[in-house]
């Protein structure tokens, strides 16, 4: 006789929340604020930071269009895997090309996994003043090239699930707007 315990799993809805925008737009700051709030509410949350992904998952990739696409697809794969297992996955990654973001969305749709695209729509002039990593200063000094939104393309989402004007509101207000969207979509 075999004992088979009855397992009752709580219905947990995972989702990928992709925050796209220019460097220094506020994507990561908003994601960390939202992650804290979601964890406090008891949600399982992972944050896939673009810099960490480049170091550990996409080491060796450059910044060509092809390499950027590959990086976004790798992140999208991991995000979908986590989200399909009940995790709220916050992805503050530039993902400058619309076709790359669309491929990630289609993967999620094909798997039945919720996906939200959030455009952190901070003007390049504001981003260059924030210049969190010093990239705009390096680009202006001629030390680097290929800076997204300056001398490399950034294709803004045409119809994101949410557009956040981070330069016109606090981090807490931005995170609250995103939290409200999750509620409206039944993802809380």
């Amino acid at each position: 006789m075999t004992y088979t315990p009855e397992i009752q799993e709580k219905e947990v809805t995972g989702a990928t929340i992709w925050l796209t925008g220019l460097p220094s737009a506020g994507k990561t700051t908003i994601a960390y604020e939202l992650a804290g709030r979601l964890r406090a509410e008891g949600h399982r949350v992972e944050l896939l930071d673009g810099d960490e992904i480049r170091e550990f998952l996409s080491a060796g990739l450059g910044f060509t269009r092809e390499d950027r696409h590959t990086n976004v697809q790798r992140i999208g794969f991991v995000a979908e895997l986590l989200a399909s297992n009940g995790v709220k996955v916050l992805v503050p990654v530039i993902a400058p090309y619309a076709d790359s973001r669309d491929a990630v969305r289609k993967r999620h749709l094909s798997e039945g996994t919720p996906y939200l695209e959030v455009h952190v729509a901070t003007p390049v002039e504001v981003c260059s003043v924030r210049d969190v990593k010093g990239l705009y200063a390096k680009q202006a000094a001629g030390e680097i090239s290929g800076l997204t939104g300056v001398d490399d393309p950034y294709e803004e989402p045409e119809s994101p699930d949410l557009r956040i004007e981070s330069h016109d509101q606090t981090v807490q207000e931005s995170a609250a707007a995103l939290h409200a969207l999750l509620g409206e979509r039944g993802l809380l």
Side-chain angles (χ1 to χ4, degrees):
M1 180 172 196
T2 308
Y3 172 71
T4 309
E6 222 177 280
I7 299 173
Q8 292 184 343
E9 290 191 22
K10 180 183 169 191
E11 176 78 25
V12 180
T13 303
T16 295
I17 301 97
W18 197 294
L19 293 91
T20 179
L22 297 173
S24 296
K27 300 176 300 297
T28 302
T29 304
I30 294 166
Y32 274 106
E33 180 71 24
L34 180 61
R37 183 171 179 176
L38 291 171
R39 286 185 182 117
E41 294 172 353
H43 297 277
R44 294 171 53 206
V45 179
E46 287 296 333
L47 196 143
L48 301 179
D49 180 84
D51 293 332
E52 291 174 359
I53 295 292
R54 276 216 173 255
E55 182 179 351
F56 297 107
L57 186 64
S58 294
L61 289 180
F63 291 91
T64 64
R65 183 180 177 101
E66 182 179 307
D67 282 354
R68 288 175 189 246
H69 180 77
T70 299
N71 185 48
V72 168
Q73 296 316 296
R74 288 178 182 176
I75 296 167
F77 173 79
V78 173
E80 195 284 321
L81 185 65
L82 289 166
S84 68
N85 284 283
V87 178
K88 303 283 190 290
V89 186
L90 305 177
V91 186
V93 173
I94 295 169
Y97 302 109
D99 62 342
S100 296
R101 295 189 306 268
D102 289 344
V104 171
R105 179 186 293 274
K106 285 177 184 167
R107 174 179 180 72
H108 280 71
L109 289 173
S110 73
E111 297 296 326
T113 306
Y115 177 88
L116 299 174
E117 182 178 73
V118 178
H119 181 205
V120 182
T122 309
V124 69
E125 300 78 24
V126 174
C127 294
S128 65
V129 170
R130 290 180 181 171
D131 204 8
V132 178
K133 299 173 193 163
L135 297 174
Y136 292 93
K138 287 179 182 176
Q139 191 277 336
E143 296 172 26
I144 63 168
S145 63
L147 182 59
T148 302
V150 177
D151 59 354
D152 209 54
Y154 176 72
E155 298 170 357
E156 290 189 7
E158 290 183 16
S159 7
D161 295 284
L162 178 66
R163 188 176 314 279
I164 293 176
E165 308 280 343
S166 73
H167 55 291
D168 289 335
Q169 59 191 31
T170 66
V171 171
Q172 293 75 19
E173 289 169 336
S174 296
L178 188 41
H179 188 272
L181 176 65
L182 290 172
E184 290 168 14
R185 300 288 173 92
L187 298 172
L188 290 179

